[in-house]
């Protein structure tokens, strides 16, 4: 049995040397400022959660860690009793709430959080139904999209590289109850090199992956992925970021594993942020898939990846 | 005079029917019939064919519209210059009346053409938007393949006699104007009209014919509806892999709102895939825009603002 079963990812915690610049990028990317202090920037999506993205002010751009949502305050208490975990503490940052901190095998700070403020959802532009060939859902309503930043709904998943996948896999499965959605092997079919991991909420359907750990020469941030409303949002957001001269990384396309429509962009320090929509939803009964690692970056449509797995 | 119900098919002429069949199959149609001198291609809808290619020098012969009733054939047959009601001596049969539009294009009004069993759609997935989860459990797996063309949607005409064509499509075929486009610098100069069928309260595509004032009569493009945006994307990369000539797309039009993707056949006739267009009825008010709006997009990754 895992120590607890987390219900979702809450936020990513990055470090950047310039909060104004970070806020400029994230605003154009579709997040909204929730709070800003002398030393940190808190950005939210349209969903009622105080922040989905924290940028701490620091000399070097970096990856501090991320937070997972406990499903109850009781789970925080349970988690605080595990080896290596902090006591339950007040977060002491905008949005409040409580947390337990633990360090993962890479030295990353993982927070398990509960009770963070849930402000009113933000309005979303550009919500239209679709006229499919066999199902007309938008009769009489003319579609006119506003060509603004596409609003981000929420943080969906995080991907980072690790030097010891087996140890990390054990850590995340044991501490947070994460399940394997798709496992990948390389030369030896019996050895799992990496796995897409999702939350275990029993019968409740969740994203295909919340955490993906990819083997690499060092622990490093790969990307943070934010859900947007739909296909129009992805493309409107793509055009908008392009008009602002940010650096595209990959997309628009459709992944195989997870099925998301994806579009990756770099922030001013090269940290990759993804827009995605229309991902697969699984529950605890969904069987684990198993594929060769070369298929991790396969697409259902779009241009092939401009980089190799793990880079 | 009458209100046509929809567009039925386009009639092109090409020198090589084998080559055309290969292109149209890659584009997402299926062969319905082939004779010594013509190729008939269908979509997944029950219509016997939505695209006719006759053998000969490359050219645009005309197009056919579905009549709303058999009686309408007789009404049109009474118009000056129209043929009698005649049997269509081609695969799929049916009856028609022929009439030339002011630019000399052959217009057929058709009725009673054979309908076939619809073709089964593959890989149609519900989608999960931010506000509504509709695909809870099933996963998406789209294989590279042609798009699945459902039906013909519209034709764009470059007109020599623009005013005459405007009168013909309104007065003789009963079409309504969805959007008027005027010269970018002079709003008193009409440059193009988006025309739709008049079906009363029933909703229909934003445009079935687009007439443009170009001083020459030729085909702009012909457009076919595919099942959904995933199908359009899959088909785009299939065609890209075949190295056909890509014209424009993927993007989203403003007027009509369709997601679009334009390809050309081996002789330069532009063929469009589209999905998710606006649906209007007789109550929808006519819009008025400068001409550039017809080329502008709501999004298109290949174009800048």
């Amino acid at each position: 049995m895992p120590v607890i079963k987390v219900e979702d990812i809450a936020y990513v915690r990055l470090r950047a040397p310039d909060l104004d610049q970070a806020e400029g990028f994230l605003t154009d990317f579709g997040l909204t400022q929730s709070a800003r202090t002398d030393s940190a920037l808190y950005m939210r999506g349209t969903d009622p959660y105080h922040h989905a993205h924290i940028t701490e002010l620091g000399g070097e751009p970096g990856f501090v860690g991320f937070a997972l949502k406990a499903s109850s305050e009781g789970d925080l208490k349970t988690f605080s009793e595990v080896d290596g975990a902090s006591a339950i503490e007040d977060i002491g940052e905008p949005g409040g709430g409580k947390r337990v901190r633990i360090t993962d095998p890479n030295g990353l700070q993982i927070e398990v959080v509960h009770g963070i403020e849930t402000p009113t959802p933000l309005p979303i532009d550009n919500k239209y139904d679709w006229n499919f060939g066999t199902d007309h859902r938008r009769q009489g309503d003319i579609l006119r999209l506003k060509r603004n930043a596409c609003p981000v709904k929420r943080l969906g998943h995080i991907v980072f590289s690790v030097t010891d996948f087996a140890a990390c896999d054990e850590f995340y499965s044991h501490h947070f109850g994460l399940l394997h959605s798709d496992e990948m092997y390389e030369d030896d079919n019996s050895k799992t090199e990496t796995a897409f991991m999702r939350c275990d909420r029993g019968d409740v359907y969740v994203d295909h992956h919340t955490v993906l750990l990819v083997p690499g020469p060092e622990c490093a941030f790969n990307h943070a992925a934010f859900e947007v409303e739909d296909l129009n949002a992805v493309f409107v957001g793509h055009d908008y970021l392009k008009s602002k001269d940010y650096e595209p990384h990959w997309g628009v396309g459709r992944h195989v594993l997870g099925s998301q429509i994806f579009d990756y962009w770099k922030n001013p320090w090269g940290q990759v942020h993804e827009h995605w929509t229309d991902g697969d939803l699984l529950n605890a009964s969904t069987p684990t898939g198993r594929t060769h690692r070369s298929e991790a970056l396969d697409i259902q449509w779009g241009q092939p990846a401009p980089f190799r797995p793990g880079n | 005079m009458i209100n046509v119900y929809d567009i039925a098919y386009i009639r092109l002429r090409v020198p090589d029917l084998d080559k055309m069949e290969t292109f149209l199959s890659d584009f997402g149609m299926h062969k319905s019939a082939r004779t010594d001198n013509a190729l008939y291609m269908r979509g997944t809808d029950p219509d016997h064919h939505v695209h006719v290619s006759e053998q000969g020098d490359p050219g645009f012969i005309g197009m056919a519209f579905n009549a709303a009733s058999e009686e309408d054939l007789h009404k049109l047959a009474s118009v000056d210059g129209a043929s009698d009601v005649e049997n269509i001596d081609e695969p799929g049969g049916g009856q028609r009346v022929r009439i030339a539009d002011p630019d000399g294009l052959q217009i057929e009004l058709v009725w009673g053409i054979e309908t076939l069993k619809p073709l089964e759609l593959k890989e149609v997935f519900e989608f999960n938007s931010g506000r509504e989860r509709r695909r809870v459990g099933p996963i998406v797996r789209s294989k590279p393949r042609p798009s699945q063309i459902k039906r013909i949607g519209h034709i764009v005409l470059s007109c020599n006699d623009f005013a005459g064509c405007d009168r013909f499509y309104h007065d003789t075929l009963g079409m309504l104007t969805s959007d008027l486009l005027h010269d970018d610098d002079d709003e008193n100069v009409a440059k193009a009209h988006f025309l739709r069928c008049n079906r009363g309260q029933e909703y229909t595509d934003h445009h079935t014919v687009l007439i443009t004032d170009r001083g020459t009569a030729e085909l702009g493009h012909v457009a076919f509806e595919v099942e959904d945006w995933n199908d359009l994307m899959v088909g785009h990369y299939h065609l890209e892999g075949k190295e056909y000539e890509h014209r424009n797309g993927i993007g989203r039009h403003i007027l009509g709102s369709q997601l679009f993707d334009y390809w050309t056949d081996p002789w330069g006739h532009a063929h469009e895939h589209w999905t998710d267009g606006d649906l209007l009825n007789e109550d929808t008010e006519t819009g008025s825009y400068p001409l550039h709006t017809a080329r502008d997009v709501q999004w298109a990754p290949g174009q800048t603002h």
Side-chain angles (χ1 to χ4, degrees):
Chain A
M1 279 291 286
V3 179
I4 60 168
K5 294 176 178 178
V6 296
E7 65 176 23
D8 204 356
I9 190 165
Y11 51 83
V12 60
R13 204 181 269 277
L14 297 178
R15 196 171 49 238
D18 185 328
L19 295 187
D20 286 339
Q21 231 183 324
E23 185 173 341
F25 168 78
L26 292 170
T27 303
D28 289 335
F29 187 74
L31 290 153
T32 302
Q33 196 214 84
S34 207
R36 181 147 166 199
T37 65
D38 287 346
S39 57
L41 167 68
Y42 301 81
M43 301 291 288
R44 65 172 287 191
T46 57
D47 268 4
Y49 203 70
H50 188 275
H51 48 270
H53 191 294
I54 300 178
T55 310
E56 299 182 357
L57 184 61
E60 287 294 317
F63 177 37
V64 181
F66 60 97
L68 297 164
K69 293 179 185 173
S71 21
S72 67
E73 198 164 342
D75 276 1
L76 274 194
K77 177 146 181 27
T78 305
F79 198 78
S80 68
E81 287 157 8
V82 81
D83 271 358
S86 73
I88 297 178
E89 51 193 32
D90 288 331
I91 293 180
E93 287 179 277
K98 292 180 192 297
R99 71 176 174 190
V100 174
R101 279 175 300 130
I102 193 166
T103 302
D104 88 348
N106 306 289
L108 279 179
Q109 172 188 277
I110 312 302
E111 299 161 80
V112 181
V113 299
H114 192 260
I116 290 177
E117 269 174 46
T118 53
T120 312
L122 299 177
I124 304 171
D125 285 335
N126 295 343
K127 284 193 290 191
Y128 290 95
D129 268 323
W130 296 85
N131 286 325
F132 297 122
T134 45
D135 189 5
H136 294 161
R137 298 177 186 171
R138 193 182 72 252
Q139 295 195 125
D141 185 16
I142 290 173
L143 184 143
R144 291 289 180 271
L145 301 173
K146 294 183 185 141
R147 305 190 74 181
N148 303 327
C150 86
V152 159
K153 175 181 167 67
R154 55 184 276 269
L155 175 62
H157 62 261
I158 191 159
V159 178
F160 56 100
S161 57
V162 299
T163 52
D164 185 347
F165 172 76
C168 290
D169 184 29
E170 162 62 22
F171 177 84
Y172 283 91
S173 301
H174 173 69
H175 286 85
F176 309 116
L178 299 185
L179 304 173
H180 286 185
S181 297
D182 279 293
E183 298 175 339
M184 274 159 283
Y185 57 89
E186 194 126 20
D187 302 325
D188 176 0
N189 193 344
S190 66
K191 189 180 174 217
T192 297
E193 297 282 341
T194 179
F196 288 87
M197 304 172 89
R198 70 181 183 281
C199 298
D200 178 356
R201 296 182 65 189
D203 292 340
V204 176
Y205 283 85
V206 300
D207 292 337
H208 171 271
H209 54 283
T210 302
V211 173
L212 171 60
L213 313 164
V214 292
E218 58 180 356
C219 174
F221 179 70
N222 183 292
H223 71 267
F226 297 85
E227 183 176 6
V228 299
E229 181 58 30
D230 63 10
L231 184 85
N232 282 318
V234 172
F235 279 106
V236 167
H238 183 96
D239 283 358
Y240 188 76
L241 288 163
K242 191 166 156 183
S243 77
K244 297 280 180 178
D245 292 327
Y246 291 109
E247 191 184 345
H249 185 54
W250 183 26
V252 177
R254 176 158 224 156
H255 287 303
V256 173
L257 301 174
S259 302
Q260 301 93 336
I261 314 301
F262 62 81
D263 191 27
Y264 295 85
W265 290 82
K266 289 182 179 174
N267 78 359
W269 303 280
Q271 293 165 322
V272 176
H273 290 59
E274 177 189 2
H275 281 153
W276 64 266
T277 187
D278 198 21
D280 293 331
L281 296 171
L282 317 181
N283 71 10
S285 319
T286 309
T288 301
R290 197 163 172 85
T291 49
H292 192 269
R293 192 172 158 209
S294 62
E295 296 170 38
L297 295 177
D298 278 1
I299 50 171
Q300 305 197 50
W301 49 258
Q303 298 294 335
F307 45 84
R308 299 272 309 134
N311 295 143
Chain B
M1 166 61 55
I2 60 166
N3 295 336
V4 296
Y5 187 79
D6 204 355
I7 188 168
Y9 50 83
I10 184 171
R11 206 179 269 278
L12 294 175
R13 204 169 43 234
V14 298
D16 186 333
L17 297 185
D18 286 341
K19 209 166 166 180
M20 191 58 157
E21 185 177 335
T22 302
F23 167 74
L24 292 174
S25 300
D26 282 327
F27 190 66
M29 293 184 214
H30 299 270
K31 184 169 73 180
S32 201
R34 173 129 174 217
T35 64
D36 287 346
N37 56 11
L39 167 68
Y40 302 82
M41 301 290 286
R42 67 173 291 192
T44 56
D45 270 4
D47 309 280
H48 185 275
H49 49 268
V50 296
H51 193 292
V52 181
S53 301
E54 299 182 5
Q55 180 133 24
D57 290 336
F60 175 37
I61 299 167
M63 57 185 154
F65 294 93
N66 290 312
S69 69
E70 188 171 357
E71 192 192 345
D72 281 357
L73 289 192
H74 295 280
K75 282 190 191 165
L76 186 66
S78 70
V79 170
D80 271 357
S83 74
D84 293 333
V85 177
E86 54 191 29
N87 289 324
I88 303 175
D89 186 19
E90 288 178 280
Q95 293 184 297
R96 70 177 174 188
V97 173
R98 283 174 296 129
I99 190 170
D101 86 352
D103 277 343
L105 206 60
Q106 175 184 279
I107 306 303
E108 298 164 77
L109 181 72
V110 300
W111 177 259
I113 293 176
E114 199 182 323
T115 53
L116 306 169
K117 198 168 161 244
L119 298 179
E120 193 185 344
L121 287 166
K122 287 172 285 194
E123 296 175 3
V124 176
F125 303 97
E126 270 294 355
F127 68 99
N128 291 323
S129 69
R131 68 187 184 282
E132 193 175 12
R133 310 305 201 191
R134 289 177 180 256
R135 192 182 72 257
V136 178
I139 63 174
V140 177
R141 288 293 178 270
S142 317
K143 298 276 188 316
R145 55 163 173 77
S147 288
Q148 304 176 85
I149 284 177
K150 174 184 170 64
R151 54 183 279 270
I152 185 170
H154 62 260
I155 285 189
V156 175
L157 302 173
S158 292
C159 300
N160 181 32
D161 179 1
F162 178 71
C165 285
D166 194 39
R167 280 194 302 276
F168 174 81
Y169 288 98
H170 279 100
D171 300 348
T172 307
L173 301 184
M175 293 189 154
L176 302 174
T177 304
S178 297
D179 287 307
L180 299 161
L181 296 178
H182 54 76
D183 186 274
D184 288 338
D185 302 316
D186 184 349
E187 64 179 49
N188 296 312
V189 178
K191 296 301 284 184
H193 294 165
F194 285 90
L195 307 175
R196 70 181 182 279
C197 297
N198 184 352
R199 298 183 184 173
Q201 288 295 298
E202 187 185 338
Y203 285 94
T204 184
D205 292 336
H206 170 271
H207 56 284
T208 301
V209 173
L210 167 58
I211 55 171
T212 61
D213 184 5
R214 302 287 287 269
T216 175
E218 59 187 23
L219 175 68
H221 70 261
V222 55
F224 299 87
E225 184 176 5
V226 300
E227 178 55 27
D228 59 25
W229 50 259
N230 194 59
D231 196 62
L232 184 137
M233 299 291 180
V234 169
H236 174 91
Y237 290 96
H238 171 78
L239 286 163
E240 198 173 82
K242 297 282 181 181
E243 296 178 350
Y244 290 111
E245 187 196 337
H246 188 232
R247 175 75 56 101
N248 187 17
I250 297 163
R252 174 146 225 158
H253 288 303
I254 294 177
L255 301 176
S257 301
Q258 300 93 337
L259 268 74
F260 63 81
D261 191 25
Y262 293 79
W263 295 82
T264 58
D265 78 6
W267 301 277
H269 304 118
H271 286 60
E272 177 188 3
H273 282 153
W274 66 267
T275 185
D276 195 30
D278 294 330
L279 295 169
L280 317 183
N281 68 10
E282 64 178 350
D283 296 334
T284 311
E285 286 176 20
T286 301
S288 179
Y289 301 89
L291 183 61
H292 67 78
T293 317
R295 292 185 300 268
D296 292 346
V297 294
Q298 304 202 55
W299 51 257
Q303 299 176 27
T304 47
H305 278 226

